[in-house]
Amino acid sequence: MEAIIGSKIFLTLSVVVAALIAFIFEWFPVDITALIIAVILIVLGLVTPDEGISGFSNSATVTVMAMFILSAGITRTGIVQTVRDWLIRWGGKIQRDKSLLWVRLSAQLLLLLIIRQS
């Protein structure tokens, strides 16, 4: 019994280490890597199929998936590059000025969100 538990612990830790390495080096897109890891955990019997797919019913998982889709869409439209170019142009050449512009824009956005909440 202890040998079985020890081997499951070793397998689990091995999958976790492999997942960390795959996320760090990004050999595949992050979402594909996450799905591969989930499938590996199910195939190795470390989690049941019900446990393996139960995370997809969680609203946090759906939100993260929606953010991936949204960020990919925004990146493909070129808006990110346009905003980057604008920030570089208006921020100046000095790093301090760029940082101050970023802080100012962030503060204004935060205030806008606070005002809309009230």
Side-chain angles (χ1 to χ4, degrees), residues 24-76:
I24 289 170
F25 289 106
E26 291 187 29
W27 292 313
F28 301 105
V30 176
D31 49 347
I32 301 297
T33 302
L35 287 174
I36 290 171
I37 296 301
V39 168
I40 289 172
L41 289 171
I42 292 169
V43 169
L44 290 176
L46 297 172
V47 295
T48 65
D50 288 338
E51 292 171 338
I53 62 170
S54 67
F56 293 109
S57 66
N58 188 337
S59 63
T61 305
V62 174
T63 303
V64 170
M65 181 180 64
M67 292 304 295
F68 273 125
I69 294 169
L70 182 65
S71 65
I74 289 173
T75 302
R76 287 186 183 176

